[in-house]
C-alpha cells in the first residue's frame, strides 16, 4: 500500500496504476461500516484509494474536532489488510490555503435538518469532497446511507458540476442489536449505548407501521417519538430522496430520519423505504 501525503504524491502513485478507481473518503477511526465501503470498492474497481482526513471546515466552533477519534496505526493496518492500493493521508496544510474559494450548500436542502443544526457543516463537507474528488478523479466514490443528507448533497454537487463520477450509496451497517455503526459511538458510556438503541428501535417501529399499511407521516413520527422519549430529540422526520418533507410515505422514495443527543453525543440514524 502506498501512503500519499499530498495531492502530488497521490497523483504520482496513481500514474503507476491502470483501470477504474474506487474511492472511499473517510475521517478515519475506521470501523466495519468503512470496511464494507472499501470491500465494495475493491470488488468493483481495479484500484482502490481511501482518504483519511479529519476535515476542520465541516466542524462548527465547539464541536468535537479536537477530540474526534484518531487512530492512525489501526487505520493504516485496516486499509492494508483490506487491499487498499493508495491511502491518501494529508495534513490540513496539504488541503487548505489562505482565503480560498468554497462550495456552498444549496439554500433549501443544505439548510434543513443537519444543515439547520449545524450551519456551515455542509459547505465544509462539499468543499472537501470536491477537493478530494478532483485530486483522486475516481471512477466511483462510495458513501454510506447513514449520512443521508450528505449523500444527497454530494450526489447533487456531482450532477450540478457535471463531474463524471458515479456516486455509490451503501447500506448502513449495524451492530447485532441494531445500533448503527459510527466513529462517534466510542463516546458512549455503556448506559448511554443502551439508550442509543432507541434510535434504531424507533426506525424499526416506523418500518413495521409502513409494512402494516400505515403510511401517515404524522402517526409514524408520533409513534417514533414515544419510543425515543426521554432522549433529547432534535428531529424525527420523513422526506423523499430529494429531501422534500412528505405527509405520506411513498414506498421506493422515502427516508425516515432521526437525530438525538445521548448524553453529550449527537447521533443520527435513518431507514430508506
Ligand atoms: O462522512 C465523512 O466521513 C465525511 O463527511 C467525509 C465525506 C469524509 C468528508 O470529510
Amino acid at each position: 500500500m502506498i501512503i500519499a501525503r499530498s495531492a502530488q504524491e497521490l497523483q504520482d502513485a496513481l500514474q503507476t496504476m491502470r483501470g477504474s478507481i474506487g474511492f472511499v473518503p473517510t475521517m478515519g477511526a475506521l470501523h466495519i461500516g468503512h470496511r464494507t465501503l472499501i470491500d465494495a470498492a475493491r470488488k468493483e474497481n481495479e484500484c482502490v484509494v481511501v482518504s483519511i482526513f479529519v476535515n476542520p471546515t465541516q466542524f462548527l466552533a465547539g464541536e468535537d474536532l479536537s477530540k474526534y477519534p484518531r487512530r492512525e496505526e489501526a487505520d493504516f493496518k485496516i486499509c492494508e489488510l483490506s487491499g487498499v492500493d493508495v491511502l491518501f493521508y494529508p495534513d490540513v496544510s496539504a488541503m487548505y490555503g489562505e482565503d480560498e474559494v468554497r462550495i456552498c450548500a444549496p439554500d433549501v436542502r443544505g439548510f434543513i435538518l443537519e444543515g439547520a443544526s449545524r450551519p456551515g457543516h455542509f459547505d465544509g463537507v462539499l468543499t472537501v469532497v470536491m477537493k478530494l474528488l478532483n485530486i483522486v478523479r475516481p471512477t466511483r466514490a462510495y458513501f454510506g446511507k447513514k449520512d443521508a443528507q450528505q449523500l444527497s448533497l454530494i450526489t447533487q454537487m456531482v450532477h450540478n458540476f457535471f463531474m463524471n463520477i458515479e456516486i455509490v450509496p451503501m447500506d448502513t451497517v449495524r451492530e447485532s442489536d441494531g445500533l448503527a455503526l459510527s466513529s462517534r459511538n466510542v463516546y458512549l458510556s455503556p448506559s448511554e449505548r443502551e439508550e442509543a438503541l432507541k434510535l434504531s428501535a424507533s426506525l424499526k417501529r416506523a418500518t413495521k407501521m409502513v409494512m402494516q399499511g400505515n403510511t401517515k407521516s404524522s402517526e409514524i413520527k408520533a409513534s417514533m417519538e414515544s419510543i425515543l422519549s426521554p432522549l433529547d430529540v432534535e428531529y424525527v422526520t420523513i422526506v423523499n430522496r430529494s429531501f422534500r418533507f412528505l405527509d405520506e410515505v411513498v414506498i421506493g422514495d422515502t427516508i425516515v430520519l432521526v437525530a438525538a443527543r445521548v448524553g453529550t453525543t449527537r447521533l443520527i440514524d435513518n431507514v430508506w423505504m
Side-chain angles (χ1 to χ4, degrees), residues 99-249:
D99 196 25
E100 291 198 330
V101 172
R102 292 200 176 186
I103 305 291
C104 290
D107 288 345
V108 179
R109 215 193 290 191
F111 287 88
I112 55 170
L113 305 173
E114 289 303 290
S117 303
R118 307 178 71 192
H121 166 69
F122 285 126
D123 294 356
V125 170
L126 293 175
T127 300
V128 80
V129 171
M130 174 65 100
K131 283 174 184 264
L132 291 167
L133 293 178
N134 282 333
I135 294 168
V136 178
R137 294 173 194 258
T139 317
R140 301 180 186 87
Y142 296 78
F143 293 89
K145 287 182 178 176
K146 181 169 160 293
D147 292 303
Q149 200 173 352
Q150 163 175 291
L151 170 60
S152 164
L153 289 169
I154 290 168
T155 307
Q156 186 183 344
M157 176 177 79
V158 163
H159 176 73
N160 290 161
F161 287 86
F162 305 100
M163 298 162 80
N164 188 20
I165 296 167
E166 185 188 341
I167 300 298
V168 185
M170 297 288 298
D171 286 340
T172 301
V173 180
R174 298 180 181 280
E175 307 264 15
S176 55
D177 57 10
L179 185 71
L181 295 193
S182 160
S183 301
R184 289 190 167 101
N185 289 352
V186 296
Y187 301 150
L188 299 170
S189 68
S191 64
E192 287 172 345
R193 196 192 170 286
E194 204 55 40
E195 284 288 281
L197 293 176
K198 290 186 167 156
L199 274 79
S200 55
S202 73
L203 293 167
K204 255 191 218 151
R205 166 74 65 83
T207 308
K208 189 167 173 201
M209 288 176 78
V210 172
M211 280 166 67
Q212 288 172 341
N214 187 346
T215 54
K216 274 209 170 352
S217 296
S218 55
E219 291 179 19
I220 295 168
K221 285 195 280 188
S223 183
M224 288 175 69
E225 275 157 3
S226 72
I227 291 182
L228 290 161
S229 170
L231 289 188
D232 177 9
V233 177
E234 230 169 75
Y235 60 76
V236 173
T237 197
I238 300 183
V239 297
N240 68 10
R241 301 280 201 268
S242 308
F243 274 78
R244 304 233 181 277
F245 295 105
L246 293 177
D247 293 331
E248 291 267 346
V249 167

